[in-house]
Amino acid sequence: MSKFAVKHVAVLGAGVMGAQIAAHLANAGVPVLLYDLAAAEGDRNGAVRKAMAGLAKLEPAPLAGAARLALITPANYDDDLERLRGCDLVIEAIAERMDWKTALYERIAPHVAPDAIVASNTSGLSIDALAHALPESLRERFCGIHFFNPPRYMRLVEIIAAPHTRPPVLDDLETWLTTRLGKGVIRALDTPNFVANRIGVFSILAAMHHTERLGLGFDEVDALTGPRIGRPKSATYRTADVVGLDTLAHVVGTMEQNLPDDPWHRYFRLPGWLSALIARGALGQKSGAGVYRKAGREIQVLDLAAQDYRPSAGKLADEVAALLKERDPGKRFAALRASAHPQARFLWSLFRDIFHYCAAQLGSVAGNARDLDLAMRWGFGWSQGPFETWQAAGWQAIAQAVAEDIAAGRAMSDTPLPAWATDPSRQGVHTPEGSYSARDGKLHPRSALPVYRRQLYPERVYGEAPDSRGETLWQNEGVRLWRLPEADPGIAILSLTSKMHTIGGEVLDGIQRAIALAERDFDGLVIWHEAPFAVGANLEQVSQACAAGQWDMLEAMVEKFQRTSLAFKYAQIPTVAAVQGMALGGGCEFLMHASHRVLALESYIGLVEAGVGLIPAGGGSKEFAARAAALAARTATPAEVFPYLQPVFQTIAMAQVAKSALEAVQAGFAREHDIVLFHPDELLHVALAQARAAADAGHAPAPPLTGVPVAGRAGIANFEMMLVNMREGGMISAHDYRVARSAAVALCGGEVDAGTRVDEEWLLAVERREFMALLRTPETQARIRHTLDTGKPLRN
């Protein structure tokens, strides 16, 4: 691994992107100087302070923890340029004006540290042209670094070399962006809009062209181009609103101005209706109106025929929906092409023209087909890149269909497919040996940078060599116990295999058996699988058992749940929970009981049982009661635990979810010493290393809990006073009150005197008893059924 380190960063420009880039750097624990123009009067750094205050209001939240804001320091170009000398990386993120950027470079150049990297967060301006504004001594350390918006959540970062950029600079930057910021890095070519925006914006322009040609509504097109074809819910026109219609216009303008010889150039302009929206300030989501707007609770969409907004109601025609259900992609495309329905014609035309454009431009926009496909996955949220989709549907059949449409004048351009795409021997562009490059006609393997050795299961493209699935040791219907001999043959891996990794009887049995086997034969155990980590108990099993009146069986299952949590806690080997995505309810309780945790930053963790009228009873309530006692023990009054239960009670009673791993630590679901990773594909590597380190250090489980002081009746009464006021004020229902009171009883250790010392079994019995009492109520059973049927909570 490279020894390149970034101790301090300067971000130039406190606009929307600059501020959010600074926020994500702060998320990673990197101190940031955030620069903007000095105010003429008042606070010299007023613009930056305003931007920093705005970070707390944005959704989705740019900051993974509120305290990280303290790592951002405001600065301005008049007073603070000398402070640039202490920065290892300078990221320019001002407006997309070549003259403004080059003027700023001339101003900062004398103050940049001799070894610092300077990078422009441009979305499509020429990196070569920007480099010429810097002195020659800086050009070898200059490149493009294009973050996608919002920077915390979007995986893609494109880095773009200028002619004089030294290769080690790019290698160091790629390594750092990957492991420290959790990014998927693509080496883009220095062409207008680079890779993702070039293809993504073309796809939007193609959709707009075919929308008008076929007379479809904007909401109708969004129903067609969302999840049903492997695209985000925002589809086409909602995506334009989210990005900002003015931002889209700028990127389109870059293509129109800088790609005069592109055979599709006549389409690189905005439709009149879109220009009209921008002219009147309807810029999309940020201005409250664009293609869509919200009127009260109603979502409305622009209707060009009526020249006004109407209720959004676009949907797929039944016959087109039936075509999209065809599982074989080759048959699906053939059916769409053969259909006369305008929606089917739209979909075929859109895919055809995207395939055509990508094939024609591959050599000029990307180093290879894998880079292009991953750019569209990571930058635009497509489930498959265009070449993957083409290859999965049968390369030759699609190539022939596209060629026929070009010859017949049905495609957006009469440019023929390149010879490499129509080669009769070609079956695709992705192979186990690598992905095709139209620039040199060769297959390119994946990057050999050492950082990628940390990704034991990297994101693969269709047709690429599959990952090793390891050696299965034992499995049942709910779990698989396995190992990766090439990583660490002495550490076992436990993966849940149930749908959404819900926890039912078969999972509980499987976990207990797997832990026993791991204790017997291995040095440690890692629980890991692709996100989500676990979404809690199998509510369908619970609901069916309630309907059948199987109360003894249900209570036995709750106790088995508790014993399974304890099995993680008291295993004779280290147990490491490697967590990504949702870890809710029982999933949260399992990770709380593991001896160690390795958490992806984007982990959403919480005890959410109150949402279905229950309380945590897999050891979660017990664990928080014990942790409150441990905090009280550090004070002069160790028996007074109630103050340490108050924030926990609110978390459980309100079913609050930590929206990042950093928030999970703050909420008490994870510990201060737990590892937080920014790249989820590194989870397994680090978790295996953590288990090995703990085993080599002579891991011993914690002793059983005994002598735990509890808040008892006095604590319950304190919580009741708060709940009564909320109930009388109409803030909670009678059943909300009952659920919250049960949570209070479990956290306070039951109806005993304050300060009574109890053991772990007592606390487990209390939470189990309260859980079962709630489960028997019609209100809780109705909440469970409603959640299963609608996916939404019921307030009854």
Side-chain angles (χ1 to χ4, degrees), residues 319-337:
E319 66 182 271
V320 177
L323 295 180
L324 292 177
K325 289 179 181 178
E326 169 59 54
R327 299 181 67 88
D328 184 306
K331 293 179 179 178
R332 184 165 62 246
F333 275 117
L336 288 171
R337 187 176 184 230

Side-chain angles (χ1 to χ4, degrees), residues 202-272:
F202 174 82
S203 74
I204 292 173
L205 292 172
M208 289 179 175
H209 167 70
H210 293 303
T211 300
E212 181 179 4
R213 182 176 68 85
L214 294 166
L216 302 180
F218 299 137
D219 52 343
E220 190 177 5
V221 168
D222 278 355
L224 288 165
T225 57
R228 289 188 183 253
I229 63 168
R231 306 283 171 82
K233 290 181 180 179
S234 56
T236 299
Y237 292 101
R238 286 187 188 276
T239 294
D241 271 357
V242 170
V243 168
L245 301 185
D246 54 339
T247 301
L248 176 63
H250 170 77
V251 179
V252 172
T254 301
M255 294 171 69
E256 181 180 20
Q257 180 179 352
N258 297 304
L259 295 168
D261 298 327
D262 190 304
W264 285 262
H265 181 265
R266 66 182 181 278
Y267 299 102
F268 298 166
R269 55 180 56 90
L270 296 182

Side-chain angles (χ1 to χ4, degrees), residues 759-793:
D759 61 15
E760 194 160 39
E761 289 301 321
W762 174 276
L763 292 170
L764 289 170
V766 172
E767 72 175 23
R768 188 167 64 244
R769 182 173 65 247
E770 294 298 322
F771 182 94
M772 288 304 302
L774 289 170
L775 195 55
R776 287 176 178 269
T777 64
E779 293 87 352
T780 287
Q781 292 173 33
R783 289 188 180 191
I784 292 172
R785 191 68 256 166
H786 187 269
T787 297
L788 286 169
D789 292 341
T790 69
K792 299 177 181 179

Side-chain angles (χ1 to χ4, degrees), residues 4 12 301 391 636 645 673 694:
F4 172 73
L12 311 181
V301 65
Q391 185 167 334
L645 290 173
H673 59 264

Side-chain angles (χ1 to χ4, degrees), residues 218-451:
F218 299 137
D219 52 343
E220 190 177 5
V221 168
D222 278 355
L224 288 165
T225 57
R228 289 188 183 253
I229 63 168
R231 306 283 171 82
K233 290 181 180 179
S234 56
T236 299
Y237 292 101
R238 286 187 188 276
T239 294
D241 271 357
V242 170
V243 168
L245 301 185
D246 54 339
T247 301
L248 176 63
H250 170 77
V251 179
V252 172
T254 301
M255 294 171 69
E256 181 180 20
Q257 180 179 352
N258 297 304
L259 295 168
D261 298 327
D262 190 304
W264 285 262
H265 181 265
R266 66 182 181 278
Y267 299 102
F268 298 166
R269 55 180 56 90
L270 296 182
W273 60 265
L274 186 51
S275 297
L277 284 176
I278 295 172
R280 67 171 187 254
L283 306 179
Q285 185 171 282
K286 61 188 173 185
S287 66
V291 180
Y292 292 89
R293 74 178 184 187
K294 195 171 185 180
R297 293 189 174 183
E298 183 179 70
I299 302 297
Q300 298 181 336
V301 65
L302 182 65
D303 187 320
L304 293 182
Q307 290 295 295
D308 199 358
Y309 289 88
R310 60 167 173 79
S312 176
K315 65 176 185 177
L316 269 68
D318 291 342
E319 66 182 271
V320 177
L323 295 180
L324 292 177
K325 289 179 181 178
E326 169 59 54
R327 299 181 67 88
D328 184 306
K331 293 179 179 178
R332 184 165 62 246
F333 275 117
L336 288 171
R337 187 176 184 230
S339 174
H341 195 284
Q343 291 185 359
R345 290 166 58 202
F346 172 88
L347 285 175
W348 164 250
S349 299
L350 179 64
F351 275 105
R352 174 200 64 213
D353 290 320
I354 293 172
F355 293 156
H356 186 191
Y357 191 75
C358 289
Q361 301 295 350
L362 175 60
S364 64
V365 302
N368 59 71
R370 180 181 55 252
D371 284 354
L372 189 150
D373 278 345
L374 289 178
M376 297 314 299
R377 284 201 202 178
W378 296 339
F380 279 78
W382 294 9
S383 61
Q384 281 190 321
F387 287 124
E388 292 181 276
T389 303
W390 182 347
Q391 185 167 334
W395 188 273
Q396 287 298 322
I398 294 294
Q400 182 178 345
V402 172
E404 289 175 359
D405 277 14
I406 294 170
R410 291 188 287 266
M412 289 172 65
S413 170
D414 60 4
T415 298
L417 284 171
W420 65 261
T422 57
D423 183 339
S425 66
R426 179 168 299 284
Q427 299 304 312
V429 290
H430 303 303
T431 74
E433 292 75 33
S435 293
Y436 183 77
S437 170
R439 294 173 66 80
D440 60 18
K442 297 178 181 178
L443 295 175
H444 286 206
R446 279 181 171 260
S447 169
L449 284 177
V451 67

Side-chain angles (χ1 to χ4, degrees), residues 5 54 108 116 150 158 179 182 205 270 291 386 413 436 443 515 532 565 594 602 622 676 691 707 761:
I108 68 168
E158 295 171 316
T179 199
L205 292 172
L270 296 182
V291 180
S413 170
Y436 183 77
L443 295 175
I515 291 175
S565 292
E602 300 307 334
K622 172 269 302 180
V676 175
E761 289 301 321

